[in-house]
Amino acid sequence: CDKLRIREFANKHFKVIKIILLTIIAVIGVVFALSCGLGTTADQLELQTSVAELRNGNIDAFRPTGYMDIYPNQYGLGLLSYLASFIVGTYNYTFFRLVNVLCLVVLYNELSLIGKQIGLGKTSQLLILLTGVFFMPSTLYALYIYGNLAALTLSVLAVRLIVQAFEKNKALYAVLSCIAMFFSCVVKSNQMLFAVGIAIYCLFKSISVKNYKRLIVAPAMLLCVWLSSFIPLMAMRSLTGLPLNGGVSYISYLAMGI
């Protein structure tokens, strides 16, 4: 193929091609979400069962040795699922999968925008989206009802926003980045790794441009991480009436990872 002509065509019709590729990603994801008859297993099912029982006034899952008591890192996703259940009901796997599809589209769009930020041309930005059309593992991951895809999308959004905050010297982007990071950690607490990375980025970026006022973003980001666990904990204590001081040691997760 004539690379020059491809580049010219991509530059001329960039917005239209981008919309088409994102739409294709969405359509493929929706097809899988609506046609897949699979339920959930293991932790996915345990979490949704805990939410359904809580709606019915049963708090056994939060008592000592119960699933939510052992894994308090699930309070955030459990709280969001609980709130959603008032609108879409319990065990509504299709709803959560469609939300995952939306997150998948946003994720690829954010990756494309980050590509633009680091200097990629329009052709390369479109190639990122084209990858999203053909890379099935991420599309199939939308069927996984565990918050991973939504949390990752919010983290990537937070990264893009914080870079823009420094590039455009606008505090609003930094605030939005902190908000995105907060909700990301609410959904999945392990996304705090992104928050630490962003805090380190803010530290070095502030020093490099000698604008030390921007250093406040680093502790603000870490504060959002703390609030992302504190607020769901307080909410669950209020809903269950239990002290909720349990949970397995973090060493357990290190052992699991190793």
Side-chain angles (χ1 to χ4, degrees):
C1 297
D2 186 346
K3 290 178 63 177
L4 182 61
R5 289 184 179 179
I6 292 176
R7 190 176 294 111
E8 287 178 351
F9 184 82
N11 289 335
K12 185 177 180 180
H13 305 285
F14 176 75
K15 290 184 179 180
V16 175
I17 298 173
K18 183 175 183 178
I19 292 173
I20 291 174
L21 291 175
L22 288 173
T23 301
I24 293 174
I25 293 172
V27 169
I28 295 174
V30 169
V31 168
F32 275 112
L34 297 181
S35 63
C36 178
L38 294 176
T40 59
T41 58
D43 291 86
Q44 302 174 79
L45 181 59
E46 290 278 6
L47 178 60
Q48 296 304 319
T49 299
S50 300
V51 171
E53 290 176 349
L54 181 60
R55 279 296 312 274
N56 294 324
N58 185 346
I59 58 174
D60 287 345
F62 294 85
R63 298 186 187 278
T65 72
Y67 177 78
M68 296 297 281
D69 176 71
I70 297 174
Y71 302 108
N73 58 297
Q74 305 288 23
Y75 287 166
L77 182 58
L79 179 61
L80 293 176
S81 299
Y82 176 81
L83 295 174
S85 69
F86 287 93
I87 302 174
V88 300
T90 56
Y91 298 110
N92 194 334
Y93 303 137
T94 300
F95 168 77
F96 289 111
R97 285 170 177 155
L98 291 176
V99 170
N100 281 343
V101 171
L102 175 62
C103 291
L104 183 67
V105 173
V106 175
L107 174 61
Y108 276 110
N109 183 57
E110 289 301 316
L111 292 173
S112 178
L113 291 173
I114 290 175
K116 179 182 179 181
Q117 286 181 325
I118 64 176
L120 294 182
K122 291 183 177 179
T123 304
S124 298
Q125 294 174 47
L126 292 176
L127 285 175
I128 293 174
L129 303 181
L130 189 63
T131 301
V133 173
F134 293 102
F135 189 65
M136 286 296 102
S138 59
T139 304
L140 292 172
Y141 207 41
L143 303 178
Y144 194 54
I145 313 299
Y146 207 46
N148 302 65
L149 196 55
L152 176 61
T153 300
L154 288 167
S155 292
V156 173
L157 172 62
V159 170
R160 198 260 297 173
L161 288 171
I162 202 64
V163 173
Q164 277 194 304
F166 280 92
E167 284 184 350
K168 298 186 177 182
N169 195 24
K170 289 187 177 181
L172 176 61
Y173 289 110
V175 173
L176 293 175
S177 178
C178 288
I179 294 173
M181 199 69 251
F182 166 77
F183 282 105
S184 176
C185 290
V186 166
V187 177
K188 256 316 178 245
S189 59
N190 59 10
Q191 296 300 304
M192 67 177 68
L193 292 172
F194 275 89
V196 173
I198 290 174
I200 294 172
Y201 169 83
C202 293
L203 176 64
F204 283 96
K205 194 72 175 178
S206 299
I207 294 174
S208 67
V209 298
K210 297 182 180 180
N211 189 339
Y212 302 107
K213 291 182 179 179
R214 298 181 183 181
L215 285 171
I216 194 174
V217 179
M221 190 64 65
L222 299 180
L223 175 63
C224 288
V225 172
W226 178 76
L227 288 174
S228 69
S229 61
F230 178 75
I231 292 176
L233 173 61
M234 292 297 103
M236 285 303 184
R237 282 180 177 176
S238 176
L239 288 171
T240 62
L242 297 174
L244 301 178
N245 294 318
V248 298
S249 168
Y250 277 102
I251 299 298
S252 302
Y253 295 104
L254 293 176
M256 185 191 304
I258 293 172

